[in-house]
Amino acid sequence: KNEVEQSPQNLTAQEGEFITINCSYSVGISALHWLQQHPGGGIVSLFMLSSGKKKHGRLIATINIQEKHSSLHITASHPRDSAVYICAVRYGAGSYQLTFGKGTKLSVIP
Amino acid sequence: DAGVIQSPRHEVTEMGQEVTLRCKPISGHNSLFWYRQTMMRGLELLIYFNNNVPIDDSGMPEDRFSAKMPNASFSTLKIQPSEPRDSAVYFCASSFLTGWGRRNTEAFFGQGTRLTVV
């Protein structure tokens, strides 16, 4: 069974802390997505990557294809970063299916 | 582009009533997805359209659920009759996907429709 595991499930941090959220998957993929869902429900795509590293503002996403692992880092965390972060993978270049992790709930305290 | 637009944002209906959820994908995208999100099961794919054609509807829970995409700019998800267990947030997402993968875009999600069936 193709699974996507995220850790931790819940994370509380003080404002300014460096945060890491991890995602592991079981078989080879064509792309990995990091999504952000705020209270109130909207889902925003943060990154799509298939190798290496991407950076956008204070957010950095890395992926290690050999280890089947990705990390989402947030530098200088802020209360507005509080959200659920979801990892999703697409298996195979021709695949349309996204398999989702269960999400990591992040709370950043002032 | 305004992004993926869903309507309504919230819907409260009585059991047995018909519910229609609407989605306008991003212009130029060839793939449209309907997802359902619940606390118990997280995000689940209901149906996937490519170039307006339903490709995979294996996630549609029952015959009470149906989806259409009459053109590239509009899709509906209908539940008839609705039941309390259908209460969830329903997301529409669109992407540009090719078989080669290299031109694939990210998945762009709408704001979701929060459905409550009482």
Side-chain angles (χ1 to χ4, degrees):
Chain A
K1 182 179 177 184
N2 299 335
E3 291 188 344
V4 179
E5 300 286 340
Q6 283 187 240
S7 63
Q9 200 170 358
N10 293 283
L11 181 57
T12 300
Q14 288 291 132
E15 183 174 356
E17 283 186 8
F18 180 83
I19 288 163
T20 296
I21 299 171
N22 297 298
C23 176
S24 297
Y25 49 92
S26 54
V27 298
I29 63 169
S30 61
L32 183 143
H33 298 248
W34 281 103
L35 310 170
Q36 180 192 57
Q37 186 171 30
H38 276 284
I43 295 176
V44 175
S45 178
L46 298 175
F47 295 104
M48 181 181 74
L49 64 167
S50 54
S51 65
K53 178 168 111 173
K54 286 190 176 181
K55 184 175 188 292
H56 182 68
R58 294 180 296 106
L59 302 178
I60 303 167
T62 63
I63 188 167
N64 185 316
I65 299 298
Q66 286 73 31
E67 295 186 3
K68 297 185 177 57
H69 180 268
S70 176
S71 293
L72 176 68
H73 305 287
I74 305 175
T75 62
S77 59
H78 191 276
R80 65 175 174 265
D81 298 326
S82 298
V84 175
Y85 292 84
I86 303 169
C87 173
V89 302
R90 179 169 286 119
Y91 294 106
S95 172
Y96 53 85
Q97 280 264 24
L98 281 179
T99 301
F100 296 91
K102 293 194 184 319
T104 295
K105 184 175 181 181
L106 172 65
S107 300
V108 182
I109 300 169
Chain B
D1 201 311
V4 177
I5 299 172
Q6 288 187 248
S7 64
R9 290 292 309 276
H10 302 274
E11 177 80 30
V12 180
T13 191
E14 290 186 346
M15 183 173 67
Q17 296 297 306
E18 177 180 296
V19 175
T20 299
L21 312 181
R22 296 173 176 79
C23 175
K24 181 181 187 312
I26 291 174
S27 176
H29 283 184
N30 65 352
S31 300
L32 184 139
F33 307 81
W34 282 101
Y35 294 98
R36 178 171 67 177
Q37 186 180 41
T38 60
M39 288 291 291
M40 291 295 293
R41 300 168 72 94
L43 277 159
E44 302 175 283
L45 177 67
L46 298 177
I47 187 168
Y48 159 62
F49 291 88
N50 183 261
N51 293 321
N52 313 338
V53 176
I55 302 299
D56 182 356
D57 65 355
S58 60
M60 298 283 263
E62 300 170 31
D63 290 345
R64 298 184 297 106
F65 285 69
S66 62
K68 294 182 180 179
M69 192 165 185
N71 56 62
S73 59
F74 184 66
S75 177
T76 59
L77 177 68
K78 186 177 293 187
I79 309 172
Q80 165 65 20
S82 57
E83 296 183 4
R85 60 194 167 116
D86 302 330
S87 298
V89 181
Y90 291 81
F91 286 98
C92 175
S94 73
S95 297
F96 184 87
L97 296 178
T98 71
W100 306 282
R102 290 192 178 190
R103 292 174 56 205
N104 290 350
T105 68
E106 300 171 34
F108 293 85
F109 286 76
Q111 287 291 94
T113 295
R114 183 173 296 275
L115 173 65
T116 303
V117 183
V118 299

